[in-house]
Amino acid sequence: MNKSDIIKAVMEKEYQIGPEAVELIKSSNSPESLLKYVLSTVNNSVIVIGTENIDLESFAAYERASKPIYSENEINPGFDTLIGKLSSDEMQTTSLKAMEFLSEPSTLSPKSDEFSLEPDIPVSVPCQTTKEPHQNPVPDSISVPETTYQQAPETQLGNDSSEEILDSYLSSGSLSSLRAIPESVFSSPSSLAGERSSSSFIGNENSLLSSPSNTISRTDPFSSIAGRGSSSSSRDEEYIHFPGMNPVTVISDISGHSTCIGEYTQFVQYFRDRYSRLSEIIRSRVNARPMESLKKRSFRRGGGDWGSEEISIIGMVSDISSTTNGHKVFSLEDPTSSFSVLIRNTDKELFELASKILLDEVIGVTGSVTNDGNLMMAAKIIQPDVPNNVQRRTGSHGKIVLISDVHVGSSQFLEDAWLDFLDFLKGKSDSEVMRELAASIRYLVVAGDLVDGIGIYPDQEKELDILDVYDQYRKAAEYFREIPEHIRVIISPGNHDAVRQAEPQPALPERIQAYFPPNVVFVGNPALLDLDGVRILIYHGRSIDDLVASIPGVSYQEPAGAVLEMVKRRHLAPTYGSRVSISPEKMDYFVIDPVPDIIHTGHVHTLGVQRYKNVLLVNSGTWQGQTEFQKRVNLMPVPARVPIVDLADFTYKILTFD
Ligand code: D5M
Ligand code: FE
Ligand code: ZN
């Protein structure tokens, strides 16, 4: 077992590992068994596995006293093959789940080929880690919950003007297109066993017994922001206030509130929350019916040309396919039922909008229903979006500096530029204008990837100057101590930071917070804050990778365009189970509500600022030069550029430090 195998296996479990610990495992007589032993015994609250977490004596005693924790024969032979085929990013979301299925022959036999080795199938691991499949076999009936394949509903057609289109819809192979999604999030457990129940409804969580074998063992160990701020005793008791000249109020943040233990019922609850909040926004603009009522003959049906009644529905997109003639078909779900919607390619504008619709987003559709009550011909698609009349808030005074992706510890970290930036903050610029500007700064926000971390991508250690993640944070803290005390610094984590990978991510652990000076406030990812009257939504931006890949016209070169697509959907990570591993919390922390004044993202290492209906969208760049990995994928970073926003009128400047 070599170093990168160890790091990969540790990443799989959503831990990080220190270099000495890797060496210790590597040098063992049975590194694989030791690693498995460590992973099965490590304390829930550990993020970075160090030598102190490796108890060689107990391991030896364990091996003597019992059969090995994993007998090699028990391990699924498919696992290594799977790992070999996947990039590390895919591994983070895919392989654990696949491993779980592969270990349950009874559950996968009919679909194993489609399932096991297909890297682009979106599957996700919730919470912080996953169960050991061999130890906690999941009952058959619920073994494939959040990733059940869904077949588009069959449609019986009536005789009407749309027959031709419908014929092609029916004959299209796309009808049988399958995808792994958190299927039937509104339905009863019977649908999990393969049969969809038409009488399914929101609120069925009691029908799935929560057995310990269906849970994930690690829960959120952090309650870190509470350590520094004070809880409000007002109506909003959850809000945490950091008072002072430059006050911070945390309006929404997972830190200390994670309830996710990975039970299937939590997915139901999570999607119910997503649906109810987003549909409420749409409902304020359309008068929608429950889908179940569309099957009843309570309104005029028939082709649109024949004056059928226009009706509206609001649903979550559970499937997207195309007919052989190139029309689009959406399957929508609401708490009462599901329904198919057809978007004809003859309606250019509508079709263009339909091409941008993503799986799992919540949309309203207005149209007419075919005679048989099985299909809606769409005339209009309504996204939640931000109302045109959203009021600009009065604002505050002073300036806010927005940065992200510092990547301290990376050998590509641009220290010279960074030190120039620190000099600027300290008021040490040559120019009077810059000194005045610095004096007006009240807040500095870091939207994730403060350090480079370790074991985040294959061979990362070859591009690290600092190999220990704690040392990386110590170095970062050293830099942050240089920042004048009167500037309130807010640090939110990203995918390179030492917190769980599943989002929403909690704030950095207290051990790391302790390195930093008192003017630093730690929040989760995402986090909605009020900064002296200005509302800012901070999100690292992992979902931008998905949006670039799936929405035509959205690119890494203009990252604010991706954020705009989030705003239209009022959701930071619309599609479940792609790059973003979403932990099913009680509340959907990704819903953009209320509408903030500023949305600050990062992650893609390019800079972009855009204004959309009085919301300022800022994607800050990076302090890391191009890595070998980025060279391979042709990602050209925009380093050492700093957006600085006036809190009174939301005008901005971009400062350059290279
Ligand atoms: O991400 C910086 C950028 O690089 C971001 O656009 C994602 C991209 N990236 C990083 N790792 C991967 C993998 N493994 N596959 C595809 N794209 C990737 P950062 O979070 O700073 O590493
Ligand atoms: Fe980054
Ligand atoms: Zn990132």
Side-chain angles (χ1 to χ4, degrees):
M1 207 179 197
N2 62 30
K3 215 161 132 181
S4 63
D5 291 336
I6 296 173
I7 292 174
K8 269 182 199 162
V10 169
M11 279 164 64
E12 271 295 292
K13 298 285 180 181
E14 305 224 344
Y15 291 98
Q16 297 187 34
I17 186 163
E20 298 89 0
V22 174
E23 284 308 317
L24 187 59
I25 292 171
K26 223 176 84 183
S27 61
S28 153
N29 287 335
S30 44
E32 286 187 19
S33 308
L34 175 57
L35 178 60
K36 278 158 199 158
Y37 179 77
V38 170
L39 288 172
S40 63
T41 54
V42 66
N43 186 296
N44 281 350
S45 60
V46 170
I47 292 291
V48 183
I49 296 174
T51 48
E52 69 279 12
N53 304 114
I54 303 174
D55 186 343
L56 292 174
E57 272 178 31
S58 322
F59 172 63
Y62 185 89
E63 286 226 299
R64 276 196 306 274
S66 65
K67 61 178 171 29
I69 269 203
Y70 268 87
S71 95
E72 283 304 315
N73 296 339
E74 262 179 76
I75 299 178
N76 194 311
F79 181 42
D80 286 339
T81 330
L82 182 76
I83 290 211
K85 289 206 175 197
L86 300 180
S87 75
S88 78
D89 218 355
E90 287 157 347
M91 253 167 50
Q92 286 181 14
T93 58
T94 311
S95 56
L96 280 174
K97 203 68 214 173
M99 196 171 144
E100 184 182 311
F101 287 118
L102 291 170
S103 68
E104 288 283 312
S106 59
T107 65
L108 61 49
S109 41
K111 283 173 181 168
S112 57
D113 285 344
E114 300 153 21
F115 188 76
S116 57
L117 297 175
E118 210 37 73
D120 61 352
I121 291 173
V123 203
S124 187
V125 184
C127 304
Q128 284 197 280
T129 182
T130 190
K131 51 194 169 279
E132 295 293 342
H134 65 296
Q135 289 171 338
N136 294 324
V138 181
D140 270 356
S141 59
I142 53 168
S143 59
V144 272
E146 63 274 26
T147 50
T148 308
Y149 284 96
Q150 183 184 5
Q151 183 136 17
E154 299 225 347
T155 309
Q156 299 300 318
L157 302 168
N159 304 319
D160 65 0
S161 64
S162 44
E163 196 166 0
E164 197 185 313
I165 291 167
L166 304 180
D167 273 349
S168 85
Y169 167 52
L170 272 178
S171 62
S172 153
S174 61
L175 256 186
S176 59
S177 68
L178 297 166
R179 100 177 165 97
I181 52 160
E183 191 249 346
S184 306
V185 288
F186 301 129
S187 354
S188 68
S190 67
S191 69
L192 299 176
E195 195 188 311
R196 288 179 66 87
S197 155
S198 60
S199 61
S200 58
F201 58 93
I202 279 193
N204 214 0
E205 62 263 76
N206 292 338
S207 50
L208 245 189
L209 290 178
S210 48
S211 70
S213 63
N214 190 29
T215 62
I216 283 165
S217 57
R218 253 167 115 207
T219 51
D220 174 16
F222 308 109
S223 55
S224 38
I225 54 170
R228 289 181 174 217
S230 67
S231 264
S232 145
S233 57
S234 68
R235 188 179 61 85
D236 303 301
E237 266 177 62
E238 301 282 299
Y239 291 7
I240 292 170
H241 300 292
F242 298 84
M245 258 177 21
N246 300 321
V248 176
T249 300
V250 182
I251 302 172
S252 167
D253 174 357
I254 187 68
S255 306
H257 298 290
S258 177
T259 53
C260 172
I261 51 170
E263 284 181 358
Y264 174 65
T265 50
Q266 294 189 312
F267 284 93
V268 178
Q269 198 173 28
Y270 168 77
F271 280 100
R272 273 171 47 198
D273 186 65
R274 178 189 286 207
Y275 178 82
S276 67
R277 290 167 65 200
L278 294 176
S279 64
E280 222 31 63
I281 298 172
I282 299 173
R283 219 173 289 282
S284 63
R285 302 210 300 279
V286 288
N287 188 12
R289 285 170 179 254
M291 290 179 194
E292 202 176 36
S293 74
L294 267 56
K295 309 231 154 104
K296 300 175 189 142
R297 292 196 159 271
S298 55
F299 55 93
R300 266 181 297 129
R301 293 177 179 158
D305 302 341
W306 297 333
S308 64
E309 190 176 334
E310 285 233 314
I311 55 153
S312 301
I313 52 176
I314 300 174
M316 191 180 283
V317 181
S318 64
D319 190 53
I320 300 174
S321 56
S322 297
T323 69
T324 41
N325 291 346
H327 308 293
K328 258 188 201 308
V329 181
F330 293 161
S331 287
L332 297 188
E333 270 190 44
D334 78 0
T336 67
S337 189
S338 60
F339 212 80
S340 296
V341 170
L342 187 119
I343 300 100
R344 285 164 283 199
N345 55 14
T346 42
D347 187 339
K348 289 275 174 290
E349 211 173 304
L350 186 68
F351 194 79
E352 198 177 313
L353 174 57
S355 309
K356 294 183 175 181
I357 297 298
L358 303 172
L359 288 170
D360 307 327
E361 72 168 285
V362 177
I363 55 172
V365 180
T366 300
S368 53
V369 174
T370 52
N371 270 330
D372 60 353
N374 272 326
L375 185 71
M376 176 181 279
M377 317 290 283
K380 196 174 168 196
I381 294 173
I382 305 112
Q383 289 180 298
D385 213 326
V386 170
N388 288 329
N389 58 358
V390 68
Q391 287 295 311
R392 172 174 291 175
R393 288 151 59 85
T394 45
S396 180
H397 64 94
K399 305 273 196 294
I400 182 169
V401 172
L402 306 172
I403 63 168
S404 65
D405 300 274
V406 189
H407 290 269
V408 174
S410 163
S411 45
Q412 298 299 331
F413 171 58
L414 301 168
E415 194 181 31
D416 289 346
W418 175 256
L419 292 175
D420 282 351
F421 171 58
L422 290 183
D423 280 345
F424 157 72
L425 293 177
K426 289 190 277 186
K428 287 190 179 168
S429 307
D430 295 337
S431 99
E432 177 65 25
V433 178
M434 288 290 268
R435 285 198 296 275
E436 271 176 22
L437 191 59
S440 67
I441 296 169
R442 298 176 66 199
Y443 296 96
L444 167 69
V445 180
V446 185
D449 287 358
L450 175 59
V451 301
D452 208 45
I454 173 161
I456 308 291
Y457 62 86
D459 292 334
Q460 185 191 12
E461 61 278 10
K462 292 182 188 152
E463 289 189 273
L464 285 178
D465 274 354
I466 306 174
L467 280 166
D468 181 309
V469 75
Y470 289 112
D471 287 343
Q472 294 177 2
Y473 282 107
R474 282 190 197 98
K475 184 72 192 171
E478 207 177 285
Y479 293 132
F480 278 73
R481 277 197 290 275
E482 307 248 325
I483 297 172
E485 277 169 34
H486 71 266
I487 299 179
R488 241 306 149 53
V489 177
I490 294 141
I491 297 179
S492 167
N495 53 308
H496 282 251
D497 285 293
V499 287
R500 71 175 187 190
Q501 287 281 310
E503 298 179 9
Q505 297 177 294
L508 287 169
E510 274 184 36
R511 172 175 173 184
I512 289 171
Q513 293 188 21
Y515 302 153
F516 289 79
N519 58 327
V520 180
V521 168
F522 292 87
V523 298
N525 168 43
L528 178 66
L529 311 181
D530 183 294
L531 306 180
D532 199 18
V534 170
R535 245 190 243 140
I536 179 166
L537 177 59
I538 305 163
Y539 175 52
H540 180 59
R542 194 118 201 241
S543 65
I544 298 175
D545 290 325
D546 288 336
L547 298 174
V548 167
S550 48
I551 305 181
V554 174
S555 73
Y556 284 120
Q557 286 70 47
E558 289 173 57
V563 183
L564 195 153
E565 296 297 334
M566 298 177 195
V567 177
K568 285 184 180 165
R569 291 161 180 80
R570 297 287 290 269
H571 202 278
L572 296 170
T575 301
Y576 172 86
S578 290
R579 301 273 181 96
V580 189
S581 175
I582 294 179
S583 157
E585 302 293 341
K586 274 190 189 140
M587 194 182 115
D588 187 346
Y589 285 86
F590 299 94
V591 172
I592 304 176
D593 194 33
V595 178
D597 302 298
I598 302 172
I599 301 182
H600 176 202
T601 54
H603 181 58
V604 294
H605 295 203
T606 51
L607 181 83
V609 186
Q610 209 168 313
R611 206 180 299 280
Y612 179 66
K613 296 185 185 178
N614 279 341
V615 187
L616 188 68
L617 316 175
V618 180
N619 195 95
S620 47
T622 179
W623 298 90
Q624 185 186 38
Q626 196 180 36
T627 63
E628 283 304 317
F629 172 82
Q630 290 166 354
K631 259 182 220 158
R632 285 202 298 278
V633 296
N634 207 13
L635 189 142
M636 188 49 80
V638 180
R641 311 276 298 276
V642 178
I644 174 166
V645 179
D646 193 312
L647 291 168
D649 59 9
F650 301 102
T651 54
Y652 66 89
K653 288 190 176 68
I654 309 284
L655 310 177
T656 304
F657 293 93
D658 49 8

